[in-house]
Amino acid sequence: MTAETRFTTAPEPATASQVAEQIVHLARLVHGGTSDQCLTPAQWTALRYFARANRFSRTPSAFSEFHATTRGTASQTVKSLISAGLLERHANQSDGRSSLIEVTPAGHEKLQNDPLSALTRAIDLLPEAERARFTAVIAHLATRLARERTAPLFGNCGDCGHCDTTDSGPAYCRCTQSLLAQEDMNALCVDFSPAAPNLR
Amino acid sequence: MTAETRFTTAPEPATASQVAEQIVHLARLVHGGTSDQCLTPAQWTALRYFARANRFSRTPSAFSEFHATTRGTASQTVKSLISAGLLERHANQSDGRSSLIEVTPAGHEKLQNDPLSALTRAIDLLPEAERARFTAVIAHLATRLARERTAPLFGNCGDCGHCDTTDSGPAYCRCTQSLLAQEDMNALCVDFSPAAPNLR
DNA sequence: CTATATAGTAGCGATACGAAACAATATTGA
DNA sequence: TCAATATTGTTTCGTATCGCTACTATATAG
């Protein structure tokens, strides 16, 4: 369409605010509707979090920060999942105040029916190149918004500025002063600090 | 990095489920934290909805479908915003049961402080080409998820299959059998049906 | 003109959330 | 060493949100 042919009723491209609304709507559709109703959205988020977080971040406090809520509320959510048999509490050897939360086998099984999987499948079906770009943009937006809200970023250890990767052998985290296993490299960490900007 | 140099601790690209989690997290950050606390997330969504919906969709029922909740809950949300002076109820001439909801000047003013604007600004700052691709992918994902959840799509009239655009003069909506003004073309409609797939 | 469908409301019960107070353990610093 | 302070986590309580059910009012179909 050229500049001359401007129809009075031509649709305009979606504005940024319309896209923002659509993102919020998308997130709501995940937990709304005919999905698995046995868990509340907060409980699903907690279960997902403890399945994804590294061993330094599997605490009620870290989850409360991730979920942008209070420690009291997070404590209740964790308690409900423990009594449902989906989470387990373990003592932290080095800190008597803290406790380490683990997902039980029943919890992992429950995650097979995660209502989020509908969105996951849709993303998986994107063309490879499209998905890579989309992933980068989402990460970029999350970083910007978290910084503005002064909320922690919660990225993967592998992308973290605290992480020293050597050419061979395990990586080392300067923040927690410990070696990182392979599985830690793709786990969420409360102390995450991006190593490099996601988008120029 | 070549295929030969596979470090045991190399970070892997984000999986689809990690991106999905990030989208949900992004949506939560919008209303969490230090944003404007005078309205609840449901109230913000309702206020935004009635500011964006076309005249056929500005009803409590249509909002309840959009918000994936019950009519009773939606009714309460609308009532609270009316008593706060942010929405107004008008009688529907052609249907005595229905009512038409309008955003008051105070409501439009409140929308200036929409906590969503942080995300909107971040999207606006994306490079032009990047934003266009991102917009298309978000719309595609919303369409897929809505179809799976059998939730209405709520797209813009201008992109709707019911819309007959002539080369000049106003467009015509075959669904509501009425002419559409320019402002309607970018408004949400409960009867939306996509004219063409968003993504091949 | 009756039967059925739809728009919207009211009341209820469950519960999720935030705030505040509290207990227990760590850490700091004189 | 020991008091002061910070941090982790829980508990309790009040508020408000949400879904459910029943209900009224209007519209539509046969």
Side-chain angles (χ1 to χ4, degrees), chain B residues 48-167:
Chain B
R48 258 179 239 131
Y49 174 82
F50 288 111
R52 283 261 299 129
N54 70 9
R55 59 202 141 106
F56 309 110
S57 308
R58 287 199 290 269
T59 68
S61 269
F63 170 64
S64 77
E65 287 187 53
F66 175 78
H67 201 211
T69 183
T70 61
R71 292 201 311 279
T73 300
S75 178
Q76 290 180 42
T77 305
V78 168
K79 189 174 66 173
S80 70
L81 288 173
I82 289 178
S83 72
L86 304 178
L87 293 181
E88 261 175 0
R89 183 190 312 280
H90 296 275
N92 183 335
Q93 309 301 345
S94 55
D95 190 332
R97 300 168 304 175
S98 185
S99 51
L100 181 67
I101 308 295
E102 298 283 4
V103 179
T104 65
H108 284 294
E109 192 175 345
K110 177 69 77 179
L111 278 171
Q112 302 299 312
N113 299 326
D114 190 342
L116 189 67
S117 60
L119 180 55
T120 301
R121 275 195 305 276
I123 294 173
D124 243 337
L125 289 175
L126 292 174
E128 172 65 31
E130 206 73 48
R131 187 171 66 238
R133 279 170 162 272
F134 181 72
T135 299
V137 172
I138 287 288
H140 171 75
L141 294 178
T143 302
R144 277 197 72 91
L145 204 59
R147 190 171 299 152
E148 189 158 337
R149 294 287 153 86
T150 60
L153 280 173
F154 282 93
N156 289 352
C157 282
D159 312 321
C160 179
H162 300 134
C163 182
D164 262 338
T165 50
T166 54
D167 284 4

Side-chain angles (χ1 to χ4, degrees), chain B residues 3-23:
Chain B
E4 287 78 18
T5 59
R6 291 214 32 169
F7 310 144
T8 53
T9 53
E12 294 172 11
T15 66
S17 71
Q18 290 176 26
V19 178
E21 284 169 26
Q22 225 162 359
I23 291 176

Side-chain angles (χ1 to χ4, degrees), chain A residues 4 9 12-13 35 39 42 53 66 68 86 98 119-120 125-126 135 143 150 156 178 197:
Chain A
E4 286 77 20
T9 53
E12 293 172 13
S35 59
L39 295 186
F66 175 78
L86 305 178
S98 186
L119 180 55
T120 300
L125 289 175
L126 290 174
T135 299
T143 303
T150 61
N156 289 352
S178 57

Side-chain angles (χ1 to χ4, degrees), chain A residues 8 29-30 121 149 182, chain B residues 8 29-30 121 148-149 182:
Chain A
T8 53
L29 280 185
V30 166
R121 274 195 306 275
R149 292 288 154 85
Q182 172 67 48
Chain B
T8 53
L29 280 185
V30 165
R121 275 195 305 276
E148 189 158 337
R149 294 287 153 86
Q182 169 68 48

